[in-house]
Amino acid sequence: MIPRAKVVYENCSVLDVSGRLLFRAPRKRLDWYLMRGLATRVDDTTIRLTFQNKGTGRQGEQFYLQDMRNECVVCGATSCGLTMHHVVPHQYRQHMPDSVKSRSSHDLLPLCIACHDAYERHATVLKMHLRDCFDAPLDGRGWIVRDDCARGKRAAAALLDEAKVAGIPPPQIDRLREAARLAVDAYRDVLAPLMPPPSAHPDPPPFSAGPSVRELSALCALPLRERGPDYVSHGEIVVAALAPSPPDDANASGDPASAGMCADCSALVDGGVAAFVAAWRAHFLRHAQPRRLPEHWDPNYPVRSSSEGLPP
C-alpha cells in the first residue's frame, strides 16, 4: 500500500445559495464548480453555489459536515504518510448496490502504514473464513489452467534464444522441437490471436523443420493460467450469496444457500448486505482498536446512502 503524498482531508466547504453548508469537499471539487461558473468563492476553502440545489446535500449528517483530522484513526500518527482503509474491503464493496457504495465515505478511514499492515493480518484471517464458508476461493472461480503446456513453453523459449540454441546438441534440439510442437498442436486455436504478423523471410533452422517462429512466439505469450469467460471473483461470490434469492434459486436438494456454513456466516446471509457491513465494522473495532475515530463515526450508521440530494 502506498501512502498519500498530500493530506487526506482538505476540509473545504460547499454552501447552497442561502449560505447553508451542503457538504465538504476537496479543493479539486471546488475548482470544478468555479471553472463552470456554478459557484462563487467565499474564502480560500469555501464556495457558494449559484444555482438552487434540488436536495439538502449532507445537512443533518454530522459525520459528513465536520472537519476531519488528518491522522491515523488507530494511533493518531500525523507525521508519516497515511493510507485510506476500506472498513468493508473493496473486493466486496465494489459488488454491492450503488445505493450502498455511491458517495459514501463513512467506512473509508485514514490509517498509517504500520497500523494498516497490522490490521490487514486480522482481515486476511476473516477473508479465509469467508472463503471456506461461502465456497469462494480467494483468487476466484473459473480459471483456465494449462499446466500441460508448461513443458512446451519452456521448449519454445529455449528455441527462440539464439545464444542458447547454438550450444544445444542436435538430439536435444529435436526433443525441444517435439515438445513445442505438441503444445502448439494442442492449443492451435488459442495461439492464433497471439501470433505476431508473418515475416517476409522464411524461418531459419532450427524452425524450418518444426513449429514456426510465429508459433513459438505465440506459445511463449500463452499464459498458463488466466481468467475464463465464466470467472467470478471471491468478493462477487460472497456478495451474491448475501442478496435475497427467490425460491426458484434454491439448490436441487432444497437446502438453503447457507447450508454448511457456520452460524455467524448463516446470520450474514440472512441479514444481507447490512449485516455484512456491520460485521466488518465490528471486526475493525475489535482488532484495530482505533482510539482516534472521527466524531460521529457510528458502527450502526445506515448502510444505504442518503446522497441523492447532492449536486453533481
Side-chain angles (χ1 to χ4, degrees):
M1 59 194 72
I2 301 175
R4 297 202 173 193
K6 62 178 184 178
V7 296
V8 174
Y9 302 112
E10 295 178 310
N11 290 316
C12 297
S13 302
V14 177
L15 313 179
D16 65 12
V17 292
S18 66
R20 291 177 298 180
L21 179 60
L22 278 176
F23 58 91
R24 310 305 289 268
R27 289 184 182 275
K28 183 177 180 180
R29 187 85 176 273
L30 268 60
D31 293 340
W32 187 90
Y33 285 109
L34 292 170
M35 290 175 60
R36 289 163 176 76
L38 299 175
T40 58
R41 187 178 294 281
V42 176
D43 57 39
D44 186 50
T45 60
T46 307
I47 62 172
R48 185 197 300 260
L49 299 182
T50 58
F51 62 94
Q52 184 64 50
N53 184 46
K54 293 182 179 180
T56 58
R58 293 290 190 183
Q59 292 178 18
E61 298 183 76
Q62 293 304 311
F63 174 81
Y64 287 103
L65 297 180
Q66 66 183 320
D67 272 344
M68 303 291 280
R69 299 186 298 267
N70 285 288
E71 63 181 18
C72 174
V73 299
V74 175
C75 69
T78 59
S79 58
C80 56
L82 296 174
T83 62
M84 294 306 290
H85 171 67
H86 291 83
V87 175
V88 181
H90 178 70
Q91 67 191 108
Y92 306 111
R93 191 174 185 271
Q94 65 179 323
H95 299 295
M96 293 180 179
D98 287 341
S99 58
V100 173
K101 62 187 180 182
S102 177
R103 297 194 184 185
S104 175
S105 59
H106 178 271
D107 294 322
L108 189 61
L109 300 171
L111 269 68
C112 69
I113 293 179
C115 291
H116 207 158
D117 284 344
Y119 171 71
E120 284 302 327
R121 297 188 187 98
H122 298 286
T124 298
V125 173
L126 178 53
K127 291 175 186 178
M128 292 171 66
H129 180 77
L130 294 174
R131 171 200 64 190
D132 297 338
C133 271
F134 284 83
D135 188 22
L138 291 178
D139 59 350
R141 188 187 299 138
W143 289 90
I144 296 175
V145 181
R146 306 185 181 97
D147 289 342
D148 58 331
C149 188
R151 185 166 178 264
K153 281 175 63 68
R154 290 194 298 270
L159 291 169
L160 290 173
D161 188 331
E162 295 181 10
K164 183 178 289 187
V165 167
I168 299 178
Q172 179 64 13
I173 291 287
D174 291 339
R175 287 192 289 272
L176 291 173
R177 187 185 296 132
E178 178 62 12
R181 183 191 66 77
L182 290 173
V184 167
D185 288 346
Y187 291 98
R188 190 170 297 279
D189 292 342
V190 182
L191 293 175
L194 300 176
M195 289 190 187
S199 171
H201 305 287
D203 289 338
F207 311 110
S208 55
S212 68
V213 172
R214 294 178 64 229
E215 290 172 330
L216 294 177
S217 298
L219 185 56
C220 286
L222 182 67
L224 291 177
R225 190 171 185 266
E226 65 179 332
R227 295 177 179 181
D230 299 325
Y231 173 83
V232 286
S233 68
H234 164 81
E236 191 174 359
I237 296 170
V238 172
V239 173
L242 303 174
S245 301
D248 291 345
D249 288 348
N251 56 38
S253 65
D255 294 333
S258 57
M261 292 183 177
C262 70
D264 288 340
C265 286
S266 294
L268 293 183
V269 171
D270 294 340
V273 170
F276 189 75
V277 170
W280 274 104
R281 290 172 178 170
H283 185 270
F284 178 71
L285 292 176
R286 181 166 62 254
H287 293 285
Q289 298 183 358
R291 304 190 301 270
R292 300 286 294 173
L293 281 169
E295 291 185 51
H296 311 294
W297 192 89
D298 183 0
N300 298 313
Y301 188 83
V303 170
R304 301 289 171 178
S305 173
S306 57
S307 63
E308 290 80 0
L310 290 175

